[in-house]
Amino acid sequence: MFFMVWSPEQEVGVWLHVGVVPEDKTMWWAQTFVMLPDGVVLVDRSFGRPSDKFGPETGNLSIKCTEPHRRWLLKFDGAGEVSSTSDLAKGLVGAGVASPFQFEIELEAKVPVYDMHAGMGAEIDWDVGSLHQEQGFAAQGTLSALGKEWTIEGAAIRDHSRGERHFARWGGHVWNYTIWPQSQRALCVFTMWSPQTESTATVVMIMENGQTELCSDFVITGMERPGGNPKKLELKIVRTDGSELRLEGQVLHNVTMTYVEPNHNLNGVYIDPREDLDATIADESVVRWTWPDGDVGYGNFERGFRPSILPRTKIPLPATSRYFDDK
């Protein structure tokens, strides 16, 4: 499971990533990041067993579904290393001097659940699970860290996949899910490619005016280097009627992680010393996206790239894409 919460007026947020330990599936692992102004990040990585079946727990982190498909409760009472977006972009983080922090945040759904795998069809063979739910929320709560307190009021998203993951066939990917709380729009774009940078799976989902539109041709800004770069983003989508939807995005905050076999998720950048393993570096950026009519939304933009192909601001695209030959 994955949760991102962003409170735009306070410029603070929470980024959570949890899953079961590959060697013991009765135990959960969790990455907990608190994003504070000026690029400050508090970083924790924990392991534990849940006390019930209502959601993951690791001891200091609790994630509970209080009403199916509608409400969630996120709670943390622990400590994490005081770090920054730039530190996470350069190395592993989370085992240094720690500072206490707490949050309690309630999420209320603003749009229906979207199953990305169902949207892509049944013929998916890329070793990243068998179910992939996404949903957008309004968020309210409190956060305290470094001697300060903030009231959380903003947007949130969740992502829930199920099944085994293997990164060997996963060359890289980009994924963006955004919620516009006022208009109740939602948008998802996803594409992945093989280690040979051949595009293997692509989907676009747009929720607008109570309708869901599925298409597959888009291009979005890639990764220059870890740390949420570049910060100015552009997303272009070919809609089902042939028209183009163009959005501009701005990275507001970022945390970085690394995927290592077999499905281990590390805080920060880890360059494996084994030459035969080019581990995937994933930037998780909070992005403000502006719809052409001025409507403002907030989302998580995940850029997963192997270091050997960076910089790569133009993502790999299928030859059938309208944007394949764009410079």
Side-chain angles (χ1 to χ4, degrees):
M1 295 184 186
F2 154 85
F3 291 84
M4 184 216 78
V5 177
W6 183 250
S7 191
E9 290 191 10
Q10 293 78 14
E11 297 183 336
V12 298
V14 170
W15 193 92
L16 307 174
H17 190 211
V18 302
V20 294
V21 176
E23 296 83 0
D24 181 352
K25 294 181 175 60
T26 66
M27 178 182 289
W28 287 89
W29 56 262
Q31 296 169 280
T32 302
F33 299 84
V34 165
M35 299 173 288
L36 302 179
D38 301 319
V40 175
V41 185
L42 269 65
V43 181
D44 176 65
R45 186 165 176 250
S46 58
F47 297 80
R49 303 186 193 279
S51 60
D52 56 40
K53 296 183 179 180
F54 294 101
E57 287 182 73
T58 62
N60 53 11
L61 175 68
S62 170
I63 298 174
K64 300 295 183 185
C65 179
T66 57
E67 182 182 345
H69 305 298
R70 292 292 305 165
R71 298 178 188 276
W72 291 78
L73 178 63
L74 314 177
K75 297 176 67 174
F76 182 91
D77 187 0
E81 181 178 350
V82 182
S83 185
S84 67
T85 56
S86 58
D87 287 343
L88 284 160
K90 294 183 291 188
L92 294 181
V93 175
V97 176
S99 177
F101 66 93
Q102 299 83 30
F103 59 76
E104 183 168 336
I105 303 169
E106 293 183 288
L107 309 183
E108 181 182 1
K110 303 297 288 186
V111 295
V113 174
Y114 162 62
D115 187 339
M116 192 173 76
H117 281 207
M120 297 176 72
E123 296 182 1
I124 304 172
D125 183 22
W126 34 289
D127 285 342
V128 287
S130 57
L131 173 145
H132 193 122
Q133 293 183 349
E134 298 172 352
Q135 193 170 21
F137 298 84
Q140 289 190 327
T142 59
L143 164 66
S144 62
L146 301 181
K148 298 181 180 181
E149 294 187 358
W150 292 268
T151 297
I152 300 295
E153 186 172 1
I157 64 172
R158 80 171 179 95
D159 171 281
H160 180 195
S161 57
R162 188 179 183 91
E164 292 187 11
R165 285 189 172 188
H166 301 279
F167 299 125
R169 294 173 57 199
W170 194 346
H173 70 289
V174 291
W175 166 74
N176 177 80
Y177 186 91
T178 301
I179 175 71
W180 284 261
Q182 295 300 318
S183 63
Q184 297 189 10
R185 289 176 169 124
L187 169 68
C188 170
V189 298
F190 173 85
T191 189
M192 70 170 297
W193 51 88
S194 71
Q196 294 75 39
T197 67
E198 296 174 350
S199 180
T200 60
T202 301
V203 70
V204 176
M205 180 280 299
I206 302 170
M207 289 183 180
E208 188 177 19
N209 300 321
Q211 303 293 318
T212 300
E213 176 184 345
L214 291 177
C215 39
S216 61
D217 194 6
F218 78 94
V219 66
I220 195 170
T221 308
M223 180 189 283
E224 184 179 56
R225 65 185 187 278
N229 300 293
K231 303 253 186 297
K232 290 185 177 181
L233 309 173
E234 184 179 51
L235 169 60
K236 295 185 288 186
I237 298 170
V238 180
R239 304 193 69 160
T240 53
D241 63 1
S243 64
E244 182 182 72
L245 173 63
R246 183 174 296 195
L247 305 178
E248 293 183 353
Q250 177 68 41
V251 173
L252 304 177
H253 218 304
N254 186 86
V255 298
T256 305
M257 54 183 284
T258 305
Y259 304 143
V260 179
E261 289 279 12
N263 193 16
H264 289 292
N265 299 263
L266 309 181
N267 297 336
V269 168
Y270 173 61
I271 304 299
D272 196 291
R274 293 170 291 175
E275 294 182 359
D276 62 337
L277 181 58
D278 193 19
T280 300
I281 308 300
D283 262 354
E284 308 290 345
S285 297
V286 178
V287 177
R288 180 181 62 239
W289 290 100
T290 304
W291 204 265
D293 64 6
D295 191 18
V296 174
Y298 298 91
N300 189 83
F301 181 30
E302 181 175 272
R303 289 178 268 191
F305 284 73
R306 296 181 186 270
S308 59
I309 74 166
L310 293 178
R312 190 79 179 236
T313 55
K314 174 68 182 296
I315 64 171
L317 295 171
T320 55
S321 171
R322 177 187 295 187
Y323 307 108
F324 182 75
D325 292 324
D326 284 4
K327 303 298 183 184

